[in-house]
Amino acid sequence: RFWLPDKQKAVMGTFDPAYCYAVAKTNSLATTSDSPIFFHNVMALLKLPVPDRLAGQITEIAVWGKNNEHVAGEIICDCSGDMPVAAPYGKYYTDKSKGKTATCIADSNGMAPGDYYLVVCPGDFSSLVISATSKSGRKYRREKNSKFTLSGGLIYDMGEIEADTYNVNVKGVSQLPYVFSFSSASGSGATP
């Protein structure tokens, strides 16, 4: 089990490093160059580009499912299969109060132009809402109103704020390139 908050720090070019949930499954911690241990990111990432014209103006970008789907809160990682899979607590247990139906990235000083990433729990969604708030209080809101699935280990491009169209690439943009080897030839420890 682990916790994904309903507010994450906005970090340009990446996601809040406190929420990189990578999990490995192995029968032995003994590794060699022929038998490394691979960690897989079990969460989904939403790519949220801030355009040049809104430089320093956006203070928060929030995401939620319109049907109260859990995007954050207490997460369960199921390691019973070949690959670890993350899901909201309520998928496995009846206490749905441990889930959060909205999450956001925030920077009270305003976000510089560039790509930001929000960590969300994988799952099935009937619709998804993205709302960006500016320092002046203006809201930019878009919705995806068709069923789709967010998978762990994939990045989904949510499109630029204030874009005329909003199409989510439901197959994901790319797999996350986070593979950690715990072999230490130079004695420096783990290297990403």
Side-chain angles (χ1 to χ4, degrees):
R1 294 181 187 183
F2 51 89
W3 183 259
L4 184 63
D6 53 3
K7 189 171 191 175
Q8 299 169 37
K9 186 170 116 182
V11 182
M12 185 170 43
T14 189
F15 54 93
D16 188 330
Y19 306 107
C20 174
Y21 294 118
V23 178
K25 182 177 178 178
T26 183
N27 292 327
S28 170
L29 291 178
T31 62
T32 66
S33 59
D34 295 333
S35 179
I37 297 173
F38 293 105
F39 282 78
H40 303 276
N41 192 316
V42 294
M43 304 303 285
L45 284 182
L46 304 183
K47 179 180 174 185
L48 304 162
V50 173
D52 289 337
R53 68 183 173 279
L54 295 175
Q57 296 303 307
I58 302 300
T59 57
E60 180 181 279
I61 303 174
V63 175
W64 66 90
K66 285 181 74 175
N67 289 323
N68 295 320
E69 295 95 343
H70 290 172
V71 293
E74 190 163 345
I75 308 298
I76 301 290
C77 189
D78 180 0
C79 295
S80 62
D82 291 337
M83 292 289 289
V85 177
Y89 184 86
K91 182 173 181 176
Y92 293 99
Y93 301 100
T94 58
D95 186 358
K96 299 208 185 268
S97 68
K98 295 186 178 195
K100 300 286 183 182
T101 56
T103 189
C104 71
I105 54 173
D107 182 344
S108 59
N109 295 320
M111 296 177 206
D115 295 335
Y116 294 81
Y117 296 85
L118 177 66
V119 180
V120 296
C121 185
D124 297 322
F125 292 83
S126 58
S127 63
L128 192 70
V129 179
I130 298 173
S131 176
T133 304
S134 71
K135 286 181 178 178
S136 68
R138 181 171 180 189
K139 300 255 185 199
Y140 302 90
R141 180 179 163 139
R142 287 174 281 143
E143 298 181 21
K144 169 140 180 79
N145 288 313
S146 60
K147 292 182 180 184
F148 64 99
T149 300
L150 294 178
S151 298
L154 292 179
I155 300 171
Y156 296 86
D157 191 347
M158 297 290 104
E160 192 174 89
I161 295 169
E162 204 178 33
D164 293 332
T165 61
Y166 174 47
N167 294 309
V168 176
N169 180 350
V170 296
K171 296 200 183 298
V173 175
S174 61
Q175 290 189 341
L176 297 174
Y178 302 110
V179 178
F180 300 92
S181 171
F182 283 90
S183 60
S184 163
S186 64
S188 62
T191 51

